Amino acid sequence: MTPATLTDRPQDTAPHSPDTAGSGPAAGPGRARAGSADGMAVASFVLGLLGTLVFNVVLGPCALILGGLALARRTRRRGRAVLGLALGAADLIILAALTAADATVSWHIGG
């Protein structure tokens, strides 16, 4: 290439505003909100699953709250959010059953 052909290329003369520089069509406030809702759905599922095994007094309500928020924000991972809600409710049912059975809020094996 000669120097003349390098300078003959059209230049990008459109002004870039600071809030749109470097962002593509997939980026933006709506996409960030959907991404955080998807993360909440997954976190709800994981916390609900962990809550069935350990520390259900805290993890159950957290799973319920995150699952509800994810559904309210219209997550694309609706199934995980619903599973998180179900597991969070199961955590609280397990807590109630343990409390009624032997007046404790923890798992124990043996007699």
Side-chain angles (χ1 to χ4, degrees):
M1 286 185 164
T2 64
T5 58
L6 289 176
T7 58
D8 291 340
R9 290 187 302 180
Q11 299 294 322
D12 184 18
T13 58
H16 294 284
S17 64
D19 58 334
T20 61
S23 64
R31 176 68 186 128
R33 187 173 180 189
S36 68
D38 291 347
M40 285 182 192
V42 173
S44 171
F45 173 70
V46 170
L47 290 177
L49 193 60
L50 286 175
T52 59
L53 302 173
V54 294
F55 216 43
N56 53 1
V57 70
V58 173
L59 296 180
C62 288
L64 288 172
I65 291 169
L66 287 174
L69 283 173
L71 288 174
R73 292 183 180 186
R74 299 181 183 219
T75 180
R76 291 178 297 168
R77 298 177 185 254
R78 184 173 168 79
R80 288 205 177 110
V82 170
L83 279 173
L85 285 172
L87 287 170
D91 293 347
L92 296 180
I93 291 170
I94 291 170
L95 175 66
L98 287 174
T99 303
D102 58 359
T104 183
V105 293
S106 63
W107 290 90
H108 66 302
I109 298 174

